[in-house]
């Protein structure tokens, strides 16, 4: 047996120096513990996910203008989100396999270029059908980026800090969302709606510059890469569906319950992400600036939720953190959707806890899904489960769209609470993985 100490970037932290705060005690100790290569990997994953979020939200924020321009009903606008998320399952699964076979960084660059190109293409769509196709193709890159980036960083992070490190990566979603809201507010204030929605999509070209930096500065974690490249099963779909035996546990049970968990959480989340802007503008009567102001509270809560959830997933464990925020998110949806007409100040205030809870639940996903699978199929397992859950969860926004015609958007939003109940049930079939090494 080798007595060589494990690499610092892949395992536990080095002992603290006497008289100095430990990495765990320091607010940014998790970042220092990554080391220089790990910090660049963190920057690559954070930037890619933030821009992924920006490109995603160009559609929900432009939904009212699109519906008016093409003469769409609620079901047709909801279909935009559904096709994006369904196709993202294909993109995510493929990206996971690619990440296991050619490496995390190369796969990351491919996904970023894909979602940027097709987001820009959406701005040139001449009709509803073409826009639907371009948005679906955008889902190919959108689906793969998070899983690949999360694994890249997870393989550098120590077990003690992995939850908060991946929670910080997740917080990039709120940063990209916030940037999209700022651009939306400016563009729709100064341009007519018929042109503004196109300009929103054209700004989705930003990620192209980011890819150049990633190519030059970011590399895969060497220890995990060595283990992955030695395996004959790397990037194998068969491996993640292999049933267990008395001699060797398989991954089929894990894959099934991880998909169920992902379906529930993302069904609830995308219901809110897709329909809250429309709800604020069409049913609460808010202007573009007013909607942006209300979303600021929601997004601020989301950003803090990602960071807090990352900390709690290290302290409480992966499963307890997800269960806690599944319950709180469901409660927030029910409260938010039933605020009486005219109580817009209360709507504003409750946007913060709503954003906080529905985001904090995601903070444990990056570490939890990475820890459920061995290195050889980590990309395949995480890419498939996260994005299949996203595709099945896509039924929720479409259902809300069709129910909105009879229930109103506010009433239909309650449907999202069902997703969080489903997530709580899925936890019963998954193990706790806090403290697991990723080799």
């Amino acid at each position: 047996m080798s007595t060589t100490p494990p690499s610092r970037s892949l395992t536990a932290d080095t002992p603290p120096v006497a008289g100095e705060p430990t990495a765990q005690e320091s607010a940014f100790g998790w970042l220092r513990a990554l080391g220089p290569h790990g910090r660049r990997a963190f920057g690559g994953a954070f930037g890619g996910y933030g821009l992924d979020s920006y490109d995603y939200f160009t559609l929900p924020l432009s939904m009212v203008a699109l519906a008016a321009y093409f003469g769409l009903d609620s079901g047709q606008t909801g279909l935009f989100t559904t096709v994006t998320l369904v196709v993202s399952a294909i993109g995510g699964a493929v990206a996971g396999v690619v990440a296991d076979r050619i490496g995390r960084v190369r796969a990351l660059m491919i996904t970023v270029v894909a979602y940027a190109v097709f987001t820009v293409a959406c701005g040139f769509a001449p009709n509803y059908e073409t826009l639907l196709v371009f948005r679906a193709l955008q889902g190919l890159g959108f689906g793969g980026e998070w899983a690949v980036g999360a694994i890249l960083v997870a393989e550098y992070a120590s077990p003690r800090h992995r939850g908060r490190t991946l929670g910080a990566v997740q917080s990039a979603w709120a940063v990209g969302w916030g940037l999209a809201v700022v651009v939306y507010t400016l563009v729709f204030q100064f341009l007519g709606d018929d042109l503004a929605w196109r300009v929103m999509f054209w700004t989705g070209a930003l990620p192209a510059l980011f890819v150049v930096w990633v190519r030059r500065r970011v590399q895969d974690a060497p220890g995990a890469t060595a283990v992955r490249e030695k395996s004959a099963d790397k990037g194998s779909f068969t491996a993640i569906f292999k049933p267990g035996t008395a001699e060797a546990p398989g991954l089929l049970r894990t894959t099934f319950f991880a998909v169920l968990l992902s379906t529930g959480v993302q069904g609830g989340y995308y219901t809110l992400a897709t329909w809250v802007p429309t709800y604020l503008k069409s049913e609460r009567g808010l202007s573009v600036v007013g909607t942006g102001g209300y979303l600021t509270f929601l997004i601020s809560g989301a950003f803090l939720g990602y960071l807090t959830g990352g900390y709690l997933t290290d302290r409480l464990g992966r499963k307890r953190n997800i269960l806690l925020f599944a319950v709180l998110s469901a409660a927030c949806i029910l409260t938010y959707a039933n605020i009486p007409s005219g109580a817009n100040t209360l709507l504003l205030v409750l946007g913060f806890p709503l954003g906080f809870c529905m985001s904090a639940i995601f903070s444990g996903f990056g570490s939890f899904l990475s820890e459920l699978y061995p290195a050889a199929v980590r990309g395949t397992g995480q890419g498939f489960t996260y994005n299949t859950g996203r595709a099945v969860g896509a039924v929720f926004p479409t259902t809300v769209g069709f129910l909105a015609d009879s229930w109103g958007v506010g009433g239909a939003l309650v449907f999202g609470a069902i997703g969080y109940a489903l997530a709580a049930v899925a936890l019963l079939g998954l193990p706790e993985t806090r403290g697991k090494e990723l080799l």
Side-chain angles (χ1 to χ4, degrees):
M1 180 182 294
S2 171
T3 58
T4 303
S7 168
R8 178 189 178 203
S9 61
L10 295 172
T11 58
D13 308 302
T14 54
V17 177
E20 294 183 0
T22 64
Q24 189 173 22
E25 293 167 346
S26 173
F28 293 98
W30 58 268
L31 187 59
R32 288 197 298 273
L34 286 171
H37 293 297
R39 285 193 289 273
R40 286 196 290 271
F42 174 84
F46 186 95
Y49 196 47
L51 292 168
D52 194 10
S53 170
Y54 179 88
D55 278 15
Y56 173 80
F57 279 105
T58 54
L59 176 66
L61 291 168
S62 304
M63 197 87 86
V64 173
L66 284 170
Y69 186 86
F70 291 116
L72 310 177
D73 59 30
S74 295
Q76 288 174 306
T77 53
L79 191 59
F80 278 126
T81 296
T82 298
V83 298
T84 303
L85 301 183
V86 169
V87 176
S88 77
I90 301 171
V94 171
V97 173
V98 172
D100 283 337
R101 294 186 178 180
I102 70 171
R104 315 320 190 191
V105 174
R106 289 180 182 176
L108 179 67
M109 291 190 292
I110 292 170
T111 61
V112 172
V113 169
Y115 71 65
V117 167
F118 289 113
T119 298
V120 172
C122 286
F124 293 98
N127 52 51
Y128 170 71
E129 292 76 16
T130 304
L131 180 58
L132 195 64
V133 170
F134 284 152
R135 187 64 179 181
L137 293 173
Q138 189 256 8
L140 291 174
F142 169 71
E145 196 285 334
W146 179 82
V148 175
I151 294 168
L152 172 66
V153 176
E155 291 177 340
Y156 275 105
S158 70
R160 188 171 72 180
H161 295 131
R162 191 174 294 123
R164 69 200 78 177
T165 303
L166 271 296
V169 172
Q170 253 348 126
S171 73
W173 183 264
V175 174
W177 188 5
L179 178 61
V181 170
V182 170
V183 174
Y184 156 79
T185 303
L186 294 173
V187 169
F188 276 81
Q189 273 291 100
F190 295 104
L191 297 176
D193 284 7
D194 289 354
L195 176 61
W197 69 264
R198 294 187 184 276
V199 173
M200 279 295 294
F201 284 121
W202 292 336
T203 62
L206 290 172
L209 298 175
F210 172 74
V211 169
V212 177
W213 180 83
V214 170
R215 185 173 182 274
R216 292 180 177 178
R217 302 287 292 171
V218 183
Q219 65 184 51
D220 291 355
T225 300
V227 173
R228 172 175 54 82
E229 290 181 344
K230 290 178 183 177
S231 174
D233 288 332
K234 65 180 180 180
S236 168
F237 272 120
T238 303
I240 68 171
F241 293 111
K242 186 178 296 183
T245 64
E247 294 77 23
L251 291 171
L252 178 60
R253 176 187 171 91
T254 295
T255 298
F256 173 78
F257 282 104
V259 167
L260 193 63
L261 174 66
S262 183
T263 297
V265 172
Q266 297 193 84
Y269 179 85
Y270 283 108
T271 295
L272 293 168
T274 301
W275 287 106
V276 163
T278 299
Y279 170 63
L280 293 175
K281 191 169 184 180
S282 64
E283 293 198 9
R284 307 302 298 211
L286 299 180
S287 65
V288 169
V289 174
T291 299
Y294 277 64
L295 289 177
T296 298
F297 270 73
L298 188 69
I299 295 166
S300 298
F303 180 74
L304 292 178
Y306 286 128
L307 298 179
T308 303
Y311 174 77
L312 290 177
T313 200
D314 282 335
R315 294 298 299 270
L316 301 177
R318 304 344 183 189
K319 293 175 65 175
R320 288 182 180 177
N321 181 72
I322 292 173
L323 178 61
L324 170 65
F325 287 107
V327 173
L328 293 178
S329 295
C332 283
I333 291 178
L334 296 175
T335 303
Y336 195 77
N338 288 285
I339 295 173
S341 178
N344 284 351
T345 300
L346 182 59
L347 190 76
L348 173 67
V349 173
L350 287 181
F352 186 90
L354 176 67
F356 184 93
C357 293
M358 74 182 202
S359 299
I361 194 172
F362 274 103
S363 294
F365 261 58
S367 51
F368 194 29
L369 295 181
S370 293
E371 291 161 353
L372 287 173
Y373 291 93
V377 292
R378 187 166 294 136
T380 305
Q382 184 157 332
F384 177 83
T385 56
Y386 187 82
N387 289 289
T388 300
R390 179 185 272 168
V392 179
V395 173
F396 285 67
T398 298
T399 302
V400 170
F402 285 108
L403 292 176
D405 291 332
S406 55
W407 293 12
V409 177
L413 281 175
V414 174
F415 190 75
I418 297 173
Y420 292 111
L422 188 64
V425 171
L427 291 172
L428 298 174
L430 294 169
E432 176 57 55
T433 60
R434 179 174 56 167
K436 184 176 181 179
E437 300 284 356
L438 292 187
L439 287 178

